[in-house]
Amino acid sequence: MADLPGIVIMGVSGRMGQMLTHTVLESGKARLVGCVERPGHPWVGQDVRAAMGGVPVGVTVTDEPIDAIAQAQAVIDFSTPAASVGIARLAAQARAVHVIGTTGFSPEDLEQIRLAARHAIVVRAGNMSLGVNLLVQLTRRVAAALDADFDIEVIEAHHRHKVDAPSGTALMLGQAAAEGRGVALDEVSERGRDGLTGARARGAIGFSAIRGGDIVGEHDVVFAGEGERIVLRHVATDRAVFARGALKAALWGQDKKPGEYDMLDVLGL
Ligand code: NAD
């Protein structure tokens, strides 16, 4: 047991943090050595499982990530952009693999993470599920096979609490479509348009988002031509798919060289 990699979970009381706690504790492949929440959160100082209403497991939630990360081989982090950028530096100093599921980063945030990855193993993906990463590959292939007259629309749906839009996954899909077509996403994207009104430039890549209820995550990539269209769809019904992917990434990263990786690397796609 002591040989298993020690994992710290950031943002442990969150939707993903709680799912990750179950996944790590029940995996038999890793040890839960630390749980971090923001200062002032009511879970700080409590046993993590007890805070979730279960049997204590001897891991106390802390708001001091340095001490927790010092004894860990990996940090799994689904929190906020500001928290993840701060943790990237600490994980790099501790030589712990940093698995980043957080989305909504600014270009400046991404530069900070890139700098941390010069000295550390960072696995960052806007979606950690096998199915979405396959969808990314399929999107790239379909975009490459179709001529540039096909318009590409990425449509996503999430629960009402999600703060960023379009989702990190939608942006990954748009990026894959642009790569397949051999163009830069910034040149062809119609980001921010609501998708309901107004015209698109021919061949544009557009994004639309809806928010509501408890939708875990749904993504369609629509390739719309004259007289026909293709729709690729992924529907996540259980957050466990993201948590299992994140744990897989933490274990995969243990023997890798410093650098920034994504789930396509982890899954060998
Ligand atoms: P959430 O709001 O339920 O959880 C975020 C948690 O982070 C909260 O408990 C919050 O208190 C905590 N937090 C904030 N600041 C912190 C700090 N400084 N230190 C420690 N903890 C801190 O959100 P969620 O639904 O769990 O999603 C979290 C992130 O993960 C979002 O960016 C979301 O888009 C992303 N996400 C990614 C994937 C993926 O597969 N990559 C899947 C689902 C969600």
Side-chain angles (χ1 to χ4, degrees), residues 12-13 18 37 41-57 59-61:
V12 72
S13 82
Q18 295 195 43
E37 253 305 334
H41 191 280
W43 285 25
V44 172
Q46 291 192 54
D47 180 277
V48 64
R49 240 316 164 57
M52 290 166 68
V55 179
V57 287
V59 179
T60 304
V61 179

Side-chain angles (χ1 to χ4, degrees), residues 102-140:
T102 310
T103 60
F105 291 108
S106 68
E108 295 74 31
D109 293 336
L110 293 176
E111 178 60 16
Q112 294 293 316
I113 291 170
R114 196 185 63 75
L115 287 176
R118 290 201 304 198
H119 309 288
I121 299 148
V122 175
V123 183
R124 186 177 67 82
N127 195 301
M128 301 265 170
S129 78
L130 171 63
V132 156
N133 284 279
L134 273 172
L135 183 65
V136 167
Q137 296 294 57
L138 292 170
T139 297
R140 189 178 286 118

Side-chain angles (χ1 to χ4, degrees), residues 10-17 36-39 41 77-83 100-104 125-129 159 162-164 169 216 239 242:
M10 277 290 290
V12 72
S13 82
R15 280 171 288 269
M16 280 305 303
V36 182
E37 253 305 334
R38 62 177 166 73
H41 191 280
D77 175 8
F78 289 64
S79 57
T80 64
I100 306 178
T102 310
T103 60
N127 195 301
M128 301 265 170
S129 78
H159 54 88
K162 183 165 179 63
V163 286
D164 51 322
T169 305
V216 173
R239 287 188 176 81
F242 310 129

Side-chain angles (χ1 to χ4, degrees), residues 89-249:
R89 277 192 294 272
L90 295 181
Q93 280 159 15
R95 297 286 182 266
V97 174
H98 189 189
V99 177
I100 306 178
T102 310
T103 60
F105 291 108
S106 68
E108 295 74 31
D109 293 336
L110 293 176
E111 178 60 16
Q112 294 293 316
I113 291 170
R114 196 185 63 75
L115 287 176
R118 290 201 304 198
H119 309 288
I121 299 148
V122 175
V123 183
R124 186 177 67 82
N127 195 301
M128 301 265 170
S129 78
L130 171 63
V132 156
N133 284 279
L134 273 172
L135 183 65
V136 167
Q137 296 294 57
L138 292 170
T139 297
R140 189 178 286 118
R141 288 186 66 176
V142 174
L146 295 173
D147 68 43
D149 274 359
F150 275 76
D151 302 324
I152 303 176
E153 290 289 309
V154 182
I155 307 168
E156 56 103 337
H158 281 90
H159 54 88
R160 68 168 76 89
H161 304 287
K162 183 165 179 63
V163 286
D164 51 322
S167 68
T169 305
L171 293 172
M172 280 166 62
L173 293 165
Q175 180 65 34
E179 284 166 14
R181 188 163 272 183
V183 294
L185 182 60
D186 286 350
E187 283 167 24
V188 292
S189 82
E190 302 249 332
R191 195 169 162 183
R193 300 277 286 269
D194 63 13
L196 296 175
T197 57
R200 293 265 197 262
R202 186 179 282 260
I205 298 177
F207 296 89
S208 304
I210 65 167
R211 296 285 174 264
D214 62 354
I215 302 170
V216 173
E218 302 183 5
H219 293 85
D220 282 6
V221 187
V222 182
F223 299 86
E226 302 290 332
E228 62 179 336
R229 74 181 179 271
I230 300 165
V231 182
L232 302 179
R233 166 170 296 173
H234 180 268
V235 177
T237 53
D238 189 339
R239 287 188 176 81
V241 294
F242 310 129
R244 284 197 295 266
L247 177 58
K248 193 178 183 105

